[in-house]
């Protein structure tokens, strides 16, 4: 034994390296799982190493400021700085190619709108409620005017961590915004004082009957026990995976999530593409009315847009019956998700501007646009993008990934693996232990407030008091030379319906204004 040990210790370090390389090379040649390392022993590993660190190297060192997707460095930087209340300006002028195709311009007024000394925005520079009241037209028992035009979009507890959901909920409370639960049901983390929009999809999590269908009894009980639920959203589809249903990877299903959702621990949950509660447009309309009647709350639908025939049917029924959804959330094909097949995320459903434009025009042509609160989502969490959305007819915007970034998401794009390094989209206790909801909630609130402040400033620059006053002619889209650039009305072929607006003062004392318990 002693001789063997002394023989080993006499081997010099470089010989050890050679021995290790020979063992790896032998292993490479003998295995058939990885062709590259079989055909190029040892060297093949370098390729796998480069491939694994490539995204980080590109993100940190190679990609230019405007290059990355879904959100480029400038966009992410603006959200991070706004959330931390740091200097979010840029110096020396824009680094964007403002002659590029699809670039948008906001037409500024010769002289900006001037708020008087006692104007609500002179008192609070971030006061920007929705100009429409959800449920007002349909005379729901509990109409709701969102106190903020920017709100947290559907993201479930399950796809997001408990600490992230708690941070978002505490943050919306501070910002006077609402928090959409996403498909995973109402969790204790959604119940920290912020206004909540309860959202459910085909899995009916949180309002699920024993047979996996919808339970009205549970819905009513949920609303009665949680008065901070201000509206209900029925999910038909989302931009990242329309017609696909939901996927919650088994790795993310902890006992707590399983209990809230009524599913098995560790087993991937697939929500089916279709609802059990309705199978056609007429039944959807009946379903909406039944929920509104039973709960007293405004009820809306969320969808990504593609074909318009069933939407037309819905609009026709609304005209005929005088009833219908109180709000419609239109998600763009560029929308995010916790997990989706790339072929869906990349190709199914229209980008926001096309989808929203088509849908709004349809409802407007039928004289229905005033009855509905239109909500937009799909990378709209930037003031100039929001101005475009409002000019096209949006009344509010919902943000998902922008909200995630404000609380620390670094766009690692691994939400589907349970390995989110920032702890935002994972159920790993260790990874989320770095999130302090007290601090992160302030970040979300600051991002929302900065967004609203800058949005108000852009609105004033265009000569208006509230963004609901933006018209299609206020925004131009670059199609080439300025003489060829088209305003939105000529690009998307409609004009939005004028939103009744009698000054911001009216909103201050509105009895339906959200954010007050
Ligand atoms: C982690 C994550 C989870 C999501 N979960 C849901 C969901 O449960 N239901 C839904 O309708 N949309 C869901 N979405 C989509 C968002 O609500 C939103 O519509 C979309 O990401 C576009 O907004 P954004 O561009 O601001 O991210 C999710 C998005 C993300 C990033």
């Amino acid at each position: 034994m002693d001789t063997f040990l002394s023989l080993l210790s006499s081997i010099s370090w470089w010989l050890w390296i050679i021995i290790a390389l020979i063992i790896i090379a032998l292993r490479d040649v003998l295995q058939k799982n990885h062709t590259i390392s079989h055909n190029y022993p040892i060297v093949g590993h370098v390729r796998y190493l480069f491939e694994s660190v490539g995204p980080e190297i590109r993100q940190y060192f190679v990609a230019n400021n405007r290059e990355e997707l879904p959100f480029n460095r400038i966009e992410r930087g603006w959200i991070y700085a706004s959330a931390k209340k740091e200097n979010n300006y840029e110096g020396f002028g824009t680094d964007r190619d403002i002659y590029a195709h699809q670039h948008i311009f906001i037409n500024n007024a010769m002289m900006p709108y001037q708020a008087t000394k006692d104007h609500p925005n002179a008192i609070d520079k971030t006061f920007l409620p929705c100009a429409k009241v959800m449920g007002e037209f349909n005379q729901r028992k509990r109409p709701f005017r969102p106190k903020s035009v920017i709100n947290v979009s559907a993201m479930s507890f399950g796809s997001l961590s408990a600490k992230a959901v708690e941070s978002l909920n505490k943050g919306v409370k501070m910002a006077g915004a609402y928090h959409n639960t996403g498909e995973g049901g109402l969790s204790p983390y959604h119940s920290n004082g912020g206004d909540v929009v309860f959202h459910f999809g085909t899995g009916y999590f949180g309002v699920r009957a024993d047979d996996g269908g919808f339970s009205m009894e549970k819905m009513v009980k949920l609303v009665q026990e949680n008065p901070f639920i201000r509206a209900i959203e029925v999910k038909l589809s989302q931009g990242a995976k329309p017609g696909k249903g939901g996927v919650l990877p088994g790795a993310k299903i902890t006992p707590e999530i399983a209990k809230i959702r009524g599913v098995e621990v560790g087993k991937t949950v697939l929500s089916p593409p279709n609802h059990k509660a309705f199978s056609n447009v007429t039944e959807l309309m009946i379903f909406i009315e039944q929920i509104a009647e039973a709960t007293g709350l405004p009820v809306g639908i969320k969808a990504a847009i593609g074909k318009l025939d069933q939407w037309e049917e819905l609009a026709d029924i609304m005209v005929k019956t005088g009833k219908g959804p109180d709000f419609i959330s239109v998600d763009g094909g560029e929308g995010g998700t916790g997990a989706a097949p790339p072929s869906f995320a990349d190709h199914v459903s229209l980008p926001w501007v096309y989808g929203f434009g088509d849908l709004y025009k349809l409802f407007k042509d039928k004289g229905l646009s005033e009855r509905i609160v239109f909500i937009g989502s799909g990378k709209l969490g930037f003031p100039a993008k929001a101005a475009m959305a409002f000019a096209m007819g949006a009344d509010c915007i919902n943000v998902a990934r922008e909200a995630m970034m404000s609380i620390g998401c670094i766009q690692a794009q691994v939400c589907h693996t349970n390995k989110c390094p920032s702890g935002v989209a994972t159920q790993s206790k260790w990874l989320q232990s770095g999130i302090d909801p007290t601090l992160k909630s302030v970040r979300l609130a600051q991002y929302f407030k900065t967004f609203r402040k800058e949005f108000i400033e852009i609105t004033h620059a265009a000569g208006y008091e509230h963004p609901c006053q933006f018209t299609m002619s206020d925004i131009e889209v670059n199609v080439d030379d300025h003489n060829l650039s088209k305003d939105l009305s000529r690009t998307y072929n409609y004009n939005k319906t004028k939103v009744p607006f009698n000054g911001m003062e009216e909103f201050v004392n509105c009895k339906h204004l959200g954010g007050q318990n």
Side-chain angles (χ1 to χ4, degrees):
M1 185 65 178
D2 282 354
T3 340
F4 180 65
L5 287 176
S6 70
L7 177 72
L8 286 183
S9 62
S10 69
I11 299 175
S12 55
W13 62 268
W14 53 267
L15 200 56
W16 275 119
I17 294 176
I18 290 176
I19 292 169
L21 289 175
I22 290 171
I23 294 172
I24 295 171
L26 277 174
R27 185 195 145 271
D28 285 350
V29 173
L30 294 177
Q31 61 81 38
K32 290 272 169 67
N33 282 345
H34 305 286
T35 314
I36 296 294
S37 31
H38 171 273
N39 294 353
Y40 301 91
I42 300 174
V43 186
H45 290 277
V46 178
R47 185 195 170 275
Y48 292 120
L49 176 77
F50 283 172
E51 196 181 33
S52 70
V53 297
E56 283 79 8
I57 290 180
R58 282 194 295 278
Q59 179 172 9
Y60 290 115
F61 301 110
V62 181
N64 74 36
N65 285 344
R66 300 281 183 184
E67 201 173 10
E68 292 163 279
L69 287 168
F71 296 91
N72 63 46
R73 197 177 294 143
I74 295 280
E75 291 169 329
R76 296 199 308 273
W78 181 81
I79 293 174
Y80 296 142
S82 303
K84 291 180 191 157
K85 236 180 170 177
E86 287 171 355
N87 184 345
N88 66 358
Y89 283 23
E90 60 185 29
F92 213 63
T94 182
D95 64 353
R96 271 189 94 142
D97 176 7
I98 63 168
Y99 294 95
H101 230 71
Q102 290 286 326
H103 189 75
I104 54 165
F105 312 101
I106 299 165
N107 285 321
N108 57 303
M110 185 181 167
M111 290 180 205
Y113 171 85
Q114 200 173 5
T116 53
K117 262 200 240 116
D118 52 353
H119 186 277
N121 287 135
I123 298 155
D124 177 358
K125 289 189 169 24
T126 70
F127 180 72
L128 193 55
C130 177
K132 288 187 190 160
V133 176
M134 289 179 181
E136 190 168 54
F137 176 85
N138 290 315
Q139 299 181 345
R140 307 298 187 206
K141 283 186 213 104
R142 289 175 56 197
F144 173 51
R145 183 195 295 278
K147 194 178 178 182
S148 168
V149 295
I150 180 169
N151 298 285
V152 174
S153 196
M155 288 183 286
S156 59
F157 166 52
S159 71
L160 296 192
S161 66
K163 292 267 184 80
V165 177
E166 184 184 337
S167 306
L168 295 176
N169 195 267
K170 289 182 170 167
V172 296
K173 181 172 164 48
M174 283 177 225
Y178 67 70
H179 185 182
N180 188 310
T181 57
E183 282 190 78
L186 182 81
S187 72
Y189 313 104
H190 289 105
S191 316
N192 284 286
D195 282 341
V196 162
V197 170
F198 181 78
H199 163 112
F200 64 85
T202 54
Y204 303 112
F205 302 123
V207 286
R208 192 177 163 99
D210 293 340
D211 65 354
F214 174 77
S215 161
M216 185 67 86
E217 206 182 310
K218 286 193 180 158
M219 178 90 255
V220 172
K221 190 163 175 270
L222 190 82
V223 170
Q224 278 170 356
E225 287 174 358
N226 301 285
F228 53 83
I229 299 180
R230 307 297 304 257
I232 293 161
E233 184 175 77
V234 183
K235 174 184 170 175
L236 301 178
S237 57
Q238 73 180 91
K241 47 182 177 183
K244 178 79 183 83
V247 188
L248 185 66
K252 283 186 158 186
I253 306 193
T254 62
E256 186 184 25
I257 289 173
K259 191 166 165 240
I260 292 171
R261 295 196 179 206
V263 293
E264 273 180 61
V265 180
K267 201 167 156 197
T268 297
V269 180
L270 299 172
S271 323
N274 284 301
H275 275 268
K276 277 190 173 176
F278 52 87
S279 55
N280 57 42
V281 180
T282 310
E283 286 172 16
L284 166 66
M285 281 282 293
I286 296 170
F287 184 61
I288 290 171
E289 288 309 314
Q290 284 171 340
I291 298 178
E293 190 55 41
T295 61
L297 294 181
V299 179
I301 48 181
K302 170 172 180 173
I305 312 301
K307 294 183 183 185
L308 291 176
D309 45 347
Q310 287 166 320
W311 289 103
E312 182 144 23
E313 201 185 329
L314 175 73
D316 287 338
I317 300 175
M318 286 175 72
V319 172
K320 214 160 108 195
T321 59
K323 298 190 160 117
D326 298 290
F327 62 95
I328 300 180
S329 305
V330 175
D331 201 21
E334 59 274 70
T337 174
S343 44
F344 267 82
D346 294 349
H347 298 289
V348 187
S349 86
L350 293 172
W352 192 82
V353 278
Y354 305 144
F356 184 84
D358 284 358
L359 191 84
Y360 185 91
K361 186 171 182 307
L362 189 155
F363 279 86
K364 196 212 154 202
D365 289 349
K366 306 254 179 205
L368 293 167
S369 43
E370 282 171 43
R371 284 163 54 168
I372 303 162
V373 175
F374 287 96
I375 302 171
S377 57
K379 295 166 61 171
L380 297 175
F382 305 92
K385 286 274 237 16
M388 176 203 67
F390 273 64
M392 293 182 72
D395 299 297
C396 268
I397 62 155
N398 279 350
V399 291
R401 289 163 295 175
E402 297 91 320
M404 289 167 74
M405 287 190 273
S406 76
I407 60 165
C409 158
I410 58 166
Q411 191 171 269
Q413 295 175 271
V414 290
C415 313
H416 58 297
T417 63
N418 203 29
K419 290 182 184 148
C420 169
S422 66
V424 173
T426 175
Q427 297 309 312
S428 153
K429 287 266 182 291
W430 165 248
L431 291 171
Q432 53 175 306
S433 65
I435 299 182
D436 173 4
T438 312
L439 175 76
K440 298 296 185 187
S441 53
V442 174
R443 298 260 167 94
L444 184 276
Q446 273 166 189
Y447 160 52
F448 274 15
K449 287 184 184 176
T450 307
F451 171 96
R452 293 197 304 243
K453 180 173 161 285
E454 291 194 12
F455 195 14
I456 291 169
E457 287 165 355
I458 286 186
T459 305
H460 288 181
Y464 297 129
E465 185 183 359
H466 188 284
C468 71
Q469 296 170 290
F470 272 113
T471 68
M472 294 287 271
S473 344
D474 290 319
I475 317 280
E476 291 187 35
V477 181
N478 212 359
V479 288
D480 209 324
D481 179 87
H482 179 63
N483 297 319
L484 289 175
S485 79
K486 288 178 165 186
D487 68 23
L488 290 179
S489 65
R490 286 193 299 141
T491 311
Y492 300 111
N493 283 327
Y494 71 93
N495 275 302
K496 82 170 203 190
T497 316
K498 200 168 172 232
V499 178
F501 175 69
N502 304 313
M504 202 77 100
E505 198 65 51
E506 195 176 275
F507 301 154
V508 179
N509 300 316
C510 171
K511 63 177 192 279
H512 305 305
L513 189 66
Q516 43 203 3
N517 295 317

